[in-house]
Amino acid sequence: EAGVAQSPRYKIIEKRQSVAFWCNPISGHATLYWYQQILGQGPKLLIQFQNNGVVDDSQLPKDRFSAERLKGVDSTLKIQPAKLEDSAVYLCASSLDDRIYTEAFFGQGTRLTVV
Amino acid sequence: AQSVSQHNHHVILSEAASLELGCNYSYGGTVNLFWYVQYPGQHLQLLLKYFSGDPLVKGIKGFEAEFIKSKFSFNLRKPSVQWSDTAEYFCAVARSGAGSYQLTFGKGTKLSVIP
């Protein structure tokens, strides 16, 4: 079974620039999560999708972050404009169905450095 | 708000020593509990999980965890660690809310095993 795919693996941008991350979940998984993991902290949920609908985006800084999941499969997370404090690893995860919780499978993450 | 507390930021052990990592959560309702591990340069992987039943759960690589409901704890243990256990360990709690499960992580404990 293929895992969760993310790209790019690494990205360095200057502050105020924009950046986008891509995630392809495990086939058949209805639930997709984006987490932000700042160095020394645990992953923090940014947004959760069930198919192509948003379930929870309460911790997403909506003035600069946006995410979409077209057709309920792949997802993109965008930051525009980036700030220094956005430097972190962005993790994508998927699970079968968040109404009957099983477990979440994580991708390798995208390490973003904002300079 | 739900929180997950991991008591140790960094633990250093010699090979063959016993390990116990603490985890407490604040939510009082029905929860599912997880320990994830992140080996250097790799993605988060599930170590073990508790949904219901026997509060002592066994995971991969000789790890186990005990759910103590009265203490809101889910501590991770291993009787004899190996150098290959060097990694970061995250406790996570999933609880149902508004029809979907939300997964919240602790800050993580870095384990260094000295040969």
Side-chain angles (χ1 to χ4, degrees), chain A residues 35 37 42 48 55 98 101-102 104, chain B residues 34 36 51 90 100-101 103 106:
Chain A
Y35 284 85
Q37 186 176 13
Q48 179 176 335
V55 172
D98 67 358
Y101 200 85
T102 52
Chain B
F34 306 82
Y36 280 85
F51 285 179
F90 294 91
S100 70
Y101 278 90
L103 187 63

Side-chain angles (χ1 to χ4, degrees), chain B residues 14-92:
Chain B
S14 298
E15 273 193 317
S18 64
L19 169 72
E20 181 159 2
L21 301 181
C23 173
N24 287 90
Y25 61 95
S26 62
Y27 183 62
T30 301
V31 296
N32 297 328
L33 301 162
F34 306 82
W35 276 96
Y36 280 85
V37 60
Q38 190 169 29
Y39 297 104
Q42 296 188 26
H43 60 278
L44 279 165
Q45 302 169 43
L46 184 69
L47 202 55
L48 49 78
K49 60 188 177 186
Y50 172 80
F51 285 179
S52 63
D54 189 344
L56 185 62
V57 293
K58 296 190 183 299
I60 59 172
K61 302 185 181 185
F63 286 90
E64 64 179 31
E66 184 175 12
F67 170 51
I68 303 179
K69 189 174 182 179
S70 60
K71 294 185 178 180
F72 299 90
S73 69
F74 190 56
N75 292 353
L76 180 71
R77 299 195 292 248
K78 185 172 184 179
S80 176
V81 295
Q82 301 172 316
W83 176 78
S84 57
D85 294 324
T86 294
E88 191 151 18
Y89 293 81
F90 294 91
C91 180

